[in-house]
Amino acid sequence: MINLHKFDIGKVDIRELIIPADKVAHVQIGNPLEHALLVLIKSGYSAVPVLDPSFRLHGLISKTLILDSVLGMERIEMEKLSDKKVEEVMNTKIPRLTKGDPFMKALGQSIDHPFVCVQDDDQIFEGILTRRAILKLFSRMLNQSD
Ligand code: AMP
């Protein structure tokens, strides 16, 4: 039987789990959807953050959102990819964390989201916290628990 009581999950510092901003693929406000789709396909990610030139976080753009926005009645209207901008399509209602937030908040948000963006008090993007990083942490804890 695994004893999780040995670990104080409340003491986990989310700073240790964050992928820093300089290692996170992103697109910028003003980029055409075509560019965003290229970034997503080349990186292999399903969604990436949308930032402005000051590195402020505005939302997330995903392959699904992009393809949905160019879906016509009978075909995918690929020619629209160069006309539309990421800000017309991105999701702005996203969960956000700050580095000082409790781990339990990150855990709760990652139930419904494969990754959560981390920003500072001025909305400057600082990185992401992935569900994968949280699962890796739990896996390490469980392996140490005997
Ligand atoms: P993973 O934890 O690698 O399964 O990633 C889950 C999701 O987090 C990916 O589909 C991406 O949307 C996002 N993600 C992870 N790492 C990065 C990164 N370095 N740059 C941009 N997005 C990332």
Side-chain angles (χ1 to χ4, degrees):
M1 182 78 163
I2 291 165
N3 180 10
L4 266 180
H5 289 287
K6 267 172 67 178
F7 302 103
D8 191 348
I9 287 170
K11 279 208 182 117
V12 174
D13 188 338
I14 64 173
R15 288 175 188 85
E16 288 162 26
L17 302 175
I18 291 170
I19 299 175
D22 61 346
K23 296 214 170 79
V24 178
H26 72 273
V27 296
Q28 288 222 350
I29 289 273
N31 284 161
L33 290 187
E34 190 174 25
H35 175 76
L37 192 54
L38 261 171
V39 170
L40 288 163
I41 291 170
K42 285 198 161 184
S43 65
Y45 298 129
S46 44
V48 292
V50 181
L51 309 179
D52 67 20
S54 311
F55 241 61
R56 270 198 308 269
L57 173 66
H58 288 263
L60 292 181
I61 189 87
S62 68
K63 287 174 190 154
T64 309
L65 283 172
I66 294 174
L67 291 178
D68 209 43
S69 77
V70 294
L71 196 62
M73 290 299 278
E74 282 172 6
R75 65 182 190 92
I76 299 173
E77 296 164 349
M78 295 301 255
E79 63 279 6
K80 288 190 176 162
L81 286 175
S82 51
D83 299 334
K84 290 195 183 187
K85 307 277 191 229
V86 287
E87 57 268 36
E88 295 172 53
V89 171
M90 68 184 176
N91 179 14
T92 55
K93 290 192 188 118
I94 56 168
R96 294 162 191 249
L97 289 167
T98 59
K99 282 181 172 170
D101 277 336
F103 175 70
M104 290 310 282
K105 180 174 175 183
L107 182 61
Q109 290 181 339
S110 69
I111 292 171
D112 290 328
H113 303 274
F115 72 101
V116 180
C117 291
V118 182
Q119 63 179 34
D120 71 9
D121 293 339
D122 295 319
Q123 214 185 307
I124 305 293
F125 179 65
E126 297 197 299
I128 58 172
L129 198 153
T130 62
R131 189 188 285 156
R132 184 165 185 266
I134 292 177
L135 287 174
K136 264 173 85 175
L137 173 78
F138 281 140
S139 168
R140 264 205 319 273
M141 284 177 166
L142 293 173
N143 281 317
Q144 286 167 12
S145 70
D146 40 304

